[in-house]
């Protein structure tokens, strides 16, 4: 009983970043994407009273209401036919299947061809009025458990031009490990992935933990899409399970982390089959 009380006190000590704990048994929904018949989420209400002293960046008001964020990668037919790597596009939805954001990768064809999944790129995230609200910058970095330096990193800007968070890979010979950092590059949360990320016939969960890894506050899941999708397309579905009252900049960083995990662990093309 004393152990449980200690964990609760630690979660409260992380200021406003971790005000709640998600329900581990929460059901998830993976809504289908139908071009031309997309349902958008209505305009958000002002942030709730549980964030009285937190300034919400413009455009991130949608995130203040969510405890489940679905990220659906769009199927690129040209890439399927030609076996080439095309710019990624993602729909970001709530648990009701309503689109809240749309993300488009901007990268050079040369980088996609010769740097493949390590390529530098920028992902621009727009809202339902086509206003860019989040920019995710990914520089060219290494990706190897044998290389402890110059590892993967993302910069999250919200609004564009204002850095609010980073996602940085940490060296570990056995498990994928990352940290979510604030604008000053101070560690806030840690993300720990499984030893094997192949996800054969099952979901792949990346647990979001406190820095000491003693308390789990959420998770990022790569949902298994079925044999046909996994083999013949590079379209992936992710789910972000977080406390609804988690700081919106941390939620934006977790969206960026989903993109990074897609590139690092799940991206493939027919050219590699």
């Amino acid at each position: 009983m004393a152990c449980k009380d200690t964990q609760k006190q630690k979660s409260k000590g992380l200021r406003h970043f971790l005000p709640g704990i998600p329900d581990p048994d929460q059901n998830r929904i993976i809504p289908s994407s139908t071009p031309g018949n997309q349902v958008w989420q209505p305009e958000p209400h002002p942030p709730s009273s549980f964030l009285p002293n937190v300034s919400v960046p413009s455009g991130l008001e949608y995130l203040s209401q969510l405890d489940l964020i679905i990220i659906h990668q769009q199927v690129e037919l040209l890439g399927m036919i030609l076996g080439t790597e095309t710019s990624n596009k993602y729909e970001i939805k709530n648990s009701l299947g309503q689109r809240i954001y749309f993300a488009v990768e901007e990268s050079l064809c040369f980088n996609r061809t010769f740097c493949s999944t390590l390529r530098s790129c920028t992902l621009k995230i727009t809202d339902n009025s086509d206003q860019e609200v989040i920019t995710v910058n990914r520089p060219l970095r290494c990706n190897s458990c044998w290389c402890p330096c110059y590892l993967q990193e993302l910069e999250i800007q919200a609004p564009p031009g204002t850095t609010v968070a980073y996602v940085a890979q940490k060296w570990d010979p056995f498990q994928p490990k990352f940290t979510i950092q604030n604008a000053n590059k101070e560690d806030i949360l840690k993300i720990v992935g499984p030893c094997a990320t192949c996800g054969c016939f099952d979901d792949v969960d990346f647990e979001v933990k406190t820095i000491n890894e003693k308390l789990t506050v959420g998770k990022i899941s790569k949902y298994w899409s079925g044999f046909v999708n996994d083999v013949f397309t590079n379209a992936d579905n992710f789910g972000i399970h977080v406390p609804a009252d988690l700081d919106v900049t941390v939620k934006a960083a977790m969206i960026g982390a989903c993109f990074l995990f897609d590139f690092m662990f799940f991206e493939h093309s027919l050219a590699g089959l």
Side-chain angles (χ1 to χ4, degrees):
M1 189 69 179
C3 180
K4 292 183 178 179
D5 293 339
T6 303
Q7 287 184 337
K8 290 181 180 178
Q9 292 174 358
K10 288 181 180 179
S11 66
K12 292 179 181 178
L14 292 175
R15 298 185 294 276
H16 60 272
F17 288 106
L18 304 175
I21 302 299
D23 182 0
D25 297 323
Q26 181 182 25
N27 293 328
R28 58 179 171 83
I29 303 172
I30 306 179
S32 60
S33 176
T34 305
N37 192 29
Q38 180 62 54
V39 178
W40 287 89
Q41 176 175 320
E43 289 295 326
H45 298 291
S48 306
S49 58
F50 50 63
L51 292 174
N53 299 317
V54 179
S55 177
V56 178
S58 178
L60 299 192
E61 297 89 352
Y62 291 104
L63 297 180
S64 66
Q65 307 170 28
L66 303 182
D67 58 0
L68 173 61
I69 303 170
I70 300 294
I71 297 181
H72 173 74
Q73 183 180 3
Q74 290 194 328
V75 177
E76 296 294 333
L77 296 179
L78 181 61
M80 290 177 57
I81 296 172
L82 300 180
T84 58
E85 193 65 60
T86 57
S87 296
N88 288 349
K89 297 180 179 65
Y90 303 88
E91 291 179 304
I92 303 172
K93 305 177 181 180
N94 61 20
S95 60
L96 299 177
Q98 298 169 323
R99 183 195 288 180
I100 55 176
Y101 300 121
F102 188 75
V104 179
E105 174 195 350
E106 290 188 354
S107 58
L108 299 175
C109 181
F110 177 89
N111 287 346
R112 294 196 301 273
T113 302
F114 294 98
C115 299
S116 186
T117 59
L118 295 178
R119 61 185 180 268
S120 61
C121 64
T122 297
L123 290 122
K124 295 189 175 183
I125 303 176
T126 56
D127 61 13
N128 57 6
S129 60
D130 204 29
Q131 181 73 28
E132 185 179 347
V133 295
I134 305 173
T135 301
V136 179
N137 293 318
R138 184 200 186 196
L140 179 66
R141 292 293 184 93
C142 299
N143 180 21
S144 173
C145 62
W146 303 109
C147 182
C149 59
Y150 212 61
L151 296 176
Q152 293 292 308
E153 183 178 273
L154 289 182
E155 177 194 27
I156 292 86
Q157 299 177 357
T162 302
T163 301
V164 295
Y166 294 89
V167 178
Q169 183 184 10
K170 299 300 180 182
W171 185 82
D172 189 282
F174 305 109
Q175 289 180 286
K177 288 190 176 182
F178 303 81
T179 57
I180 296 177
Q181 303 171 334
N182 62 17
N184 298 320
K185 290 200 169 184
E186 298 168 336
D187 293 347
I188 300 172
L189 294 171
K190 183 173 287 186
I191 304 175
V192 181
C195 296
T197 59
C198 60
C200 297
F201 309 108
D202 202 0
D203 297 346
V204 180
D205 293 330
F206 295 80
E207 294 188 333
V208 182
K209 298 175 174 287
T210 52
I211 296 302
N212 59 15
E213 299 188 27
K214 292 184 178 180
L215 181 64
T216 299
V217 299
K219 68 178 180 178
I220 299 174
S221 299
K222 192 275 182 181
Y223 298 141
W224 185 62
S225 305
F227 176 79
V228 174
N229 281 348
D230 279 354
V231 174
F232 294 103
T233 76
N234 63 350
D236 294 314
N237 294 304
F238 292 88
I240 301 174
H241 299 256
V242 292
D245 47 358
L246 184 68
D247 187 281
V248 293
T249 61
V250 179
K251 291 182 182 180
M254 293 175 72
I255 291 175
C258 277
F259 299 148
L260 181 59
F261 297 162
D262 188 32
F263 281 113
M264 292 180 64
F265 306 115
F266 308 111
E267 188 80 358
H268 65 273
S269 67
L270 292 179
L273 294 179

